[in-house]
Amino acid sequence: MISVPLPTPDKRGTRTSEVLLHISGNATTQASSLDTEPVQLLVSYTAMKRLSLLVVLLCSAVSLVNCQQPTKSSTTPKPDEGTFVQNTYKNDFFSFSYALPREWHKSKVAPAALPSGAYYLFIGDRNTGHSLLNRVTVVADPESGPGVSTQEYLSAYVRAQVRNAHAEVIREPSSFVSRENSFYRADYKWVENGTTVYSSMVCARRNSYWLSWNFVTPSQHDLEDAVNTLQNISFDRSSPH
């Protein structure tokens, strides 16, 4: 695994715990059998319709990266939320469209707050005929100071999965091309209440933000199907990456 130095613990490092504590308080009213220790918080996979574990781990990764460099969130323009019409998500700020197959729909989940400066752009669910959903969460996170690459950002995220969810990496952070679009991708899995959960994070850099597509599914086959939806992304090449 690519090594990304972790920040030396200091007052800034408490941000991760504060974020997880906030989510823990929100989650306990919606799902049962939660571990209330902030750095070990795991949400039951059967409760994913209400709250995604992905949010918890994303907060950890964002904090790890942003502790390494001063954040630019105070000066980075805020992106628009975009629109979802006829199964196509569009965002003018980032100049891209993302068409999803008919069985996908906009999620009704009320996600927990992300660290300051990071934004949810879209959350989509695919019904599977039982309580386990396929989910994609699209997040925009402002770049930290110079010197942090997209690959390092992704590596920090994966390290958070390994540490907080005892995840097993099944695809190391590496370059990934879907059609003509270039990304970085990492896959991992973890066991929650006896169920193996598969996840992938795919990242790109655009307009001073890291864009990430975060997929969570109940099987590796479903994971590949979900990631393959990235073939339907269309970027406006006149906008900077």
Side-chain angles (χ1 to χ4, degrees), residues 23-36 41-53 192-193:
I23 296 175
S24 175
N26 186 33
T28 51
T29 63
Q30 304 181 62
S32 60
S33 302
L34 299 185
D35 186 342
T36 56
L41 177 63
L42 294 177
V43 179
S44 171
Y45 189 59
T46 58
M48 282 188 63
K49 288 185 178 180
R50 299 184 292 274
L51 182 69
S52 175
L53 166 64
E192 170 61 13
N193 292 338

Side-chain angles (χ1 to χ4, degrees), residues 151-170:
Q151 189 171 18
E152 289 172 326
Y153 175 80
L154 178 57
S155 182
Y157 177 87
V158 172
R159 287 168 66 100
Q161 320 313 305
V162 172
R163 187 174 73 172
N164 295 342
H166 307 292
E168 175 187 345
V169 178
I170 54 180

Side-chain angles (χ1 to χ4, degrees), residues 43-212:
V43 179
S44 171
Y45 189 59
T46 58
M48 282 188 63
K49 288 185 178 180
R50 299 184 292 274
L51 182 69
S52 175
L53 166 64
L54 181 63
V55 175
V56 179
L57 300 178
L58 179 64
C59 288
S60 300
V62 170
S63 297
L64 285 176
V65 175
N66 286 344
C67 279
Q68 298 179 58
Q69 298 286 346
T71 183
K72 291 170 41 177
S73 60
S74 60
T75 58
T76 303
K78 179 181 178 179
D80 62 79
E81 294 181 354
T83 60
F84 187 67
V85 179
Q86 296 181 343
N87 274 65
T88 298
Y89 172 78
K90 293 184 179 180
N91 190 289
D92 292 334
F93 181 87
F94 294 110
S95 300
F96 78 90
S97 63
Y98 178 32
L100 286 162
R102 288 184 303 173
E103 63 268 23
W104 287 81
H105 60 274
K106 186 176 182 179
S107 178
K108 296 180 180 179
V109 68
L114 289 172
S116 176
Y119 304 97
Y120 292 102
L121 299 182
F122 175 74
I123 301 176
D125 289 334
R126 174 181 176 268
N127 291 330
T128 58
H130 48 74
S131 61
L132 305 185
L133 294 171
N134 291 346
R135 172 163 291 167
V136 58
T137 304
V138 186
V139 172
D141 183 33
E143 292 181 15
S144 299
V148 178
S149 69
T150 306
Q151 189 171 18
E152 289 172 326
Y153 175 80
L154 178 57
S155 182
Y157 177 87
V158 172
R159 287 168 66 100
Q161 320 313 305
V162 172
R163 187 174 73 172
N164 295 342
H166 307 292
E168 175 187 345
V169 178
I170 54 180
R171 179 189 175 117
E172 297 284 347
S174 59
S175 59
F176 171 69
V177 176
S178 180
R179 296 238 170 142
E180 73 277 15
N181 298 315
S182 297
F183 304 91
Y184 279 90
R185 174 182 173 181
D187 297 354
Y188 51 94
K189 63 182 180 179
W190 73 93
V191 177
E192 170 61 13
N193 292 338
T195 299
T196 301
V197 183
Y198 294 83
S199 190
S200 180
M201 182 175 183
V202 181
C203 293
R205 204 174 206 162
R206 195 163 179 88
N207 292 3
S208 299
Y209 280 84
W210 283 297
L211 293 182
S212 64

